[in-house]
């Protein structure tokens, strides 16, 4: 049966929409081709989304409700920012942005890099852990049916947390890549 094309599955369409959405977002923010960054951003979004949703399954614990997981994800972003910044601008131009507008601000720039990494990890950890804790408390106090609407809301917030982490990564990468270009 040559010439027949298969319709893409729902998962394929959803994946393509996710990739296109992040590429459009990055194209707007970076002002350049987003493809070098797409795999990192989409992988982070998918991993965090699935990890967050795992905590909603009975008997499972969300990996992102553990601080070591969120810290590892934040460290990946922390390492990716200078990697892509140096790749786009070169070592001298990338590191030069830490000295602008004054070299006296260098300590504050370094503190900013570490604090935003910590904030990225703590924000994701705190939101996911508190969500799981609230559902567990409601289950123990109210029985099986009352937490179901909360769990439905948790599906939405789990995906929103993954999206926010990915968008913040795009913002950080954009700042590194565009530092001296514009």
């Amino acid at each position: 049966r040559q010439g027949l094309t298969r319709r893409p599955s729902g998962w394929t369409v959803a994946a393509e929409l996710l990739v296109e959405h992040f590429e459009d977002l990055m194209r707007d923010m970076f002002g350049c081709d987003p493809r070098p960054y797409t795999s990192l951003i989409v992988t982070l979004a998918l991993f965090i989304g699935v990890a967050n949703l795992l905590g909603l399954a009975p008997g499972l614990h969300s990996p992102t409700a553990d601080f070591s997981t969120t810290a590892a994800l934040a460290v990946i972003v922390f390492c990716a920012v200078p990697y892509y910044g140096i790749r786009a601008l070169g070592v001298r131009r990338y590191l030069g942005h830490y000295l602008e507008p004054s070299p006296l601000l260098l300590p504050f720039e370094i503190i900013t890099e570490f604090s935003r990494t910590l904030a990225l990890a703590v924000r994701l950890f705190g939101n996911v852990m508190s969500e799981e804790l609230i559902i567990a408390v409601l289950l123990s106090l109210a029985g099986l049916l009352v937490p179901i609407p909360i769990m439905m809301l948790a599906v939405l917030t789990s995906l929103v947390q993954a999206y926010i982490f990915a968008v913040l990564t795009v913002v950080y990468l954009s700042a590194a890549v565009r530092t001296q270009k514009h």
Side-chain angles (χ1 to χ4, degrees):
R1 297 192 165 199
Q2 296 175 345
L4 293 177
T5 58
R6 257 182 33 169
R7 282 186 50 191
S9 70
W11 290 107
T12 303
V13 172
E16 286 178 4
L17 286 173
L18 180 71
V19 169
E20 284 179 21
H21 172 74
F22 279 117
E23 283 186 342
D24 289 343
L25 178 71
M26 288 184 285
R27 194 172 289 111
D28 291 343
M29 292 185 77
F30 294 171
C32 63
D33 182 24
R35 286 181 290 176
Y37 319 101
T38 302
S39 59
L40 172 68
I41 301 301
V42 173
T43 301
L44 282 172
L46 287 175
F47 176 81
I48 294 169
V50 170
N52 290 350
L53 292 173
L54 282 176
L56 298 175
L60 293 180
H61 178 71
S62 174
T64 48
D66 183 358
F67 185 70
S68 61
T69 303
T70 60
L73 292 167
V75 167
I76 289 170
V77 174
F78 178 78
C79 293
V81 168
Y83 170 77
Y84 285 113
I86 290 169
R87 211 167 124 192
L89 303 171
V91 174
R92 175 174 241 146
R93 283 179 51 200
Y94 175 75
L95 294 178
H97 92 275
Y98 287 109
L99 302 174
E100 291 180 2
S102 169
L104 296 173
L105 297 176
L106 179 63
F108 297 109
E109 292 286 344
I110 293 170
I111 291 170
T112 299
E113 293 291 326
F114 286 107
S115 64
R116 85 175 169 197
T117 301
L118 181 64
L120 201 58
V122 169
R123 187 200 51 76
L124 180 61
F125 164 71
N127 287 329
V128 174
M129 193 255 327
S130 63
E131 180 180 279
E132 282 191 356
L133 188 61
I134 289 171
I135 291 172
V137 167
L138 284 175
L139 261 171
S140 66
L141 293 177
L144 192 57
L145 294 178
V146 173
I148 290 178
I150 301 296
M151 291 176 79
M152 301 286 272
L153 182 62
V155 169
L156 177 65
T157 59
S158 294
L159 297 176
V160 167
Q161 290 303 322
Y163 182 76
I164 289 171
F165 194 98
V167 167
L168 287 173
T169 303
V170 169
V171 169
Y172 300 157
L173 287 174
S174 173
V177 170
R178 294 177 55 125
T179 296
Q180 302 244 343
K181 278 189 174 180
H182 303 288

